[in-house]
């Protein structure tokens, strides 16, 4: 009977940890196949922030860096640039952070089932250097699970990473969601 506990603990850990976000590998038929891609720092000027007391200034650059990293993992030659930098790539990714909501740690702890989840949302577009729009995207992710309700900042960064991988997959496949 005692030997079952380590197995049960490992199964519970696997359930809680889950798999991290993944990105598709670029196919030769992808609209950006073989093109240098530049991901601009996401604009933070129209973001709606609620229940989040930590500085939010760095999220624009963080999401851009994570999109570029996910694109790179998918086989795309991608770099990040500060907002307003001159276009250097054949493909440009531009976006805005639209929502940062820290949710409620108390609700996550006491109620669970998604109550009090943190939320992070973006929208943007992908265009060629000559201005042709390849697609427009929007994405929102929620994270509401953590020990004792989870640390809000940790959950928020988990949302940022998930959004970045979603956006990278849209860019790679050319299948955009609004």
């Amino acid at each position: 009977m005692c030997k079952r506990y380590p197995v049960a603990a490992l199964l519970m850990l696997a359930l809680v940890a889950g798999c991290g976000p993944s990105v598709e590998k670029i196919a030769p038929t992808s609209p950006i196949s073989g093109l240098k891609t530049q991901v601009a720092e996401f604009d933070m000027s129209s973001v709606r922030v609620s229940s989040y007391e930590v500085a939010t200034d760095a999220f624009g650059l963080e999401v851009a860096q994570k999109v570029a990293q996910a694109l790179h993992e998918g086989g795309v030659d991608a770099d990040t640039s500060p907002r307003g930098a001159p276009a250097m790539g054949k493909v440009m990714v531009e976006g805005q952070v639209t929502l940062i909501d820290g949710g409620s740690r108390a609700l996550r702890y006491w109620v669970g089932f998604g109550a009090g989840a943190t939320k992070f949302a973006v929208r943007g577009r992908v265009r060629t250097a000559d201005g042709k729009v390849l697609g427009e995207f929007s994405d929102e992710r929620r994270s509401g699970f953590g020990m004792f309700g989870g640390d809000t900042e940790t959950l928020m960064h988990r949302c940022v990473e998930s959004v970045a991988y979603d956006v990278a997959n849209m860019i790679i496949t050319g299948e955009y969601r609004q």
Side-chain angles (χ1 to χ4, degrees):
M1 182 106 168
C2 292
K3 292 182 181 183
R4 290 185 192 174
Y5 289 118
V7 172
L10 286 174
L11 288 173
M12 185 60 103
L13 180 61
L15 178 67
V16 170
C19 296
S22 63
V23 68
E24 293 188 29
K25 295 292 182 186
I26 192 161
T29 57
S30 172
I32 63 165
S33 180
L35 299 177
K36 174 80 170 162
T37 302
Q38 181 178 347
V39 183
E41 177 180 357
F42 279 48
D43 182 19
M44 297 289 294
S45 64
S46 61
V47 66
R48 186 171 48 115
V49 179
S50 62
S51 302
Y52 196 74
E53 304 302 321
V54 181
T56 60
D57 300 348
F59 280 113
L61 186 57
E62 180 182 349
V63 72
Q65 289 171 334
K66 289 190 182 289
V67 168
Q69 175 187 341
L71 286 170
H72 185 71
E73 288 174 18
V76 177
D77 184 12
D79 286 322
T80 308
S81 66
R83 185 136 192 87
M88 302 295 283
K90 298 284 186 187
V91 175
M92 298 292 302
V93 179
E94 303 162 323
Q96 299 108 13
V97 175
T98 58
L99 175 66
I100 297 173
D101 182 351
S104 167
R105 186 173 190 167
L107 285 174
R108 290 191 299 269
Y109 180 74
W110 292 106
V111 178
F113 301 105
T118 60
K119 299 175 198 121
F120 184 82
V122 299
R123 71 171 178 249
R125 67 182 179 164
V126 180
R127 65 175 177 83
T128 60
D130 61 2
K132 178 185 172 197
V133 175
L134 298 175
E136 296 184 345
F137 60 84
S138 65
D139 195 51
E140 178 178 321
R141 280 302 187 110
R142 303 164 54 96
S143 186
F145 182 78
M147 187 69 77
F148 303 111
D151 174 62
T152 301
E153 193 169 353
T154 300
L155 294 176
M156 187 62 68
H157 290 287
R158 188 182 303 163
C159 289
V160 171
E161 185 171 20
S162 294
V163 162
Y165 276 81
D166 289 348
V167 169
N169 277 319
M170 286 185 245
I171 294 168
I172 288 171
T173 62
E175 298 173 10
Y176 295 93
R177 294 185 312 268
Q178 290 263 0

